[in-house]
Amino acid sequence: MAKKSKKFQAALAKVDRTKRYDAAEAIALAKEVDYANFDATIEVSYNLNIDVKKADQQIRGAMVLPHGTGKTQTVVVIARGEKAAEAEAAGADYVGEQDLIEKINGGWLDFDVMVATPDMMGQVGRLGRVLGPKGLMPNPKTGTVTMDVTKAVNDIKAGQVTYRADKAGIVNVPIGKVSFEDQKLVENFKALHEQINRVKPATAKGVYITNLALSSTLGPGIKVDPATV
């Protein structure tokens, strides 16, 4: 097990590991114990009582946080003709079709999100071995395979986040930066929490959210009482 730094140990000492904090209190504490020398990200972690092996209990989607994430996303759009022009007008950083696909296939991955129109997915699909491991493959569930490229680009630039339950039913989502005002982080957290509850599978039984925590990039995890979000 990796040895924890003195700074981490000092931060951890300020957190009551047996307590489930009020959401606003947890955010304030995460900011207090953050010791990074950069504007760290505050991330929320949900442990959900779901069985992702069942198709009807898989959770994946996207939403726009009320106050964004504090990060400017670099967006690539694979489209042709009129849709390519719409993407450029919306502010996409890179727009193209076969030329851009070949560039990416050659190893260029200097972007955060890819959007593609449905008619281009046959060609984009061939990039699976490149995009898949990086989590960059466009998907209709996250709004990145769409004919409405203007909305897709605008949402991403406005602070859209994606969420997806892993094999253990854990969902990790950023809700902003340490530099954000507490209230903005609280409002982003509430919006995310409402969305996670909204997409609860109808077939999921028992307690849905079994554990909820948040932390800054380098800071310790702080347990949160779901009822206070």
Side-chain angles (χ1 to χ4, degrees):
M1 186 174 178
K3 185 178 180 181
K4 295 181 173 64
S5 70
K6 289 183 179 179
K7 288 182 178 179
F8 182 87
Q9 295 283 14
L12 188 61
K14 296 180 180 180
V15 178
D16 183 348
R17 305 293 296 280
T18 66
K19 178 180 177 180
R20 284 192 172 190
Y21 289 84
D22 172 271
E25 187 182 9
I27 285 170
L29 181 57
K31 294 175 70 172
E32 178 189 339
V33 301
D34 175 66
Y35 57 89
N37 58 4
F38 56 88
D39 191 8
T41 296
I42 300 290
E43 185 173 83
V44 174
S45 179
Y46 285 87
N47 196 326
L48 304 177
N49 182 25
I50 57 175
D51 183 356
V52 295
K53 292 179 182 178
K54 297 179 179 178
D56 61 356
Q57 290 195 30
Q58 294 176 1
I59 289 178
R60 185 176 187 179
M63 63 172 294
V64 179
L65 295 174
H67 305 290
T69 62
K71 179 183 178 182
T72 301
Q73 302 269 54
T74 300
V75 184
V76 161
V77 177
I78 305 297
R80 57 163 65 102
E82 182 182 324
K83 291 300 172 182
E86 287 180 17
E88 289 178 354
D93 299 279
Y94 302 95
V95 181
E97 42 185 299
Q98 196 57 45
D99 55 334
L100 199 48
I101 289 172
E102 290 175 2
K103 184 177 180 180
I104 293 167
N105 198 39
W108 179 77
L109 292 168
D110 193 19
F111 57 93
D112 300 301
V113 185
M114 177 185 282
V115 175
T117 51
D119 60 303
M120 296 300 295
M121 282 306 293
Q123 297 176 57
V124 171
R126 295 197 290 269
L127 295 174
R129 63 178 182 80
V130 179
L131 300 177
K134 301 288 185 180
L136 294 171
M137 179 63 78
N139 188 295
K141 290 184 178 180
T142 59
T144 49
V145 177
T146 177
M147 289 301 287
D148 194 348
V149 293
T150 298
K151 181 180 186 302
V153 173
N154 286 340
D155 283 352
I156 294 164
K157 291 291 187 179
Q160 177 173 282
V161 292
T162 59
Y163 53 87
R164 183 179 188 178
D166 66 12
K167 289 186 286 187
I170 295 172
V171 178
N172 296 309
V173 186
I175 58 167
K177 297 288 187 178
V178 168
S179 61
F180 279 27
E181 295 174 9
D182 286 19
Q183 187 57 34
K184 288 185 177 181
L185 287 168
V186 168
E187 289 171 8
N188 276 355
F189 193 0
K190 285 182 181 295
L192 171 64
H193 194 69
E194 289 172 2
Q195 180 65 13
I196 294 297
N197 276 301
R198 192 176 297 122
V199 297
K200 176 185 177 181
T203 55
K205 305 299 181 183
V207 177
Y208 177 47
I209 300 172
T210 58
N211 194 40
L212 177 58
L214 60 78
S215 66
S216 63
T217 305
L218 300 178
I222 300 167
K223 291 181 181 180
V224 180
D225 180 354
T228 67
V229 184

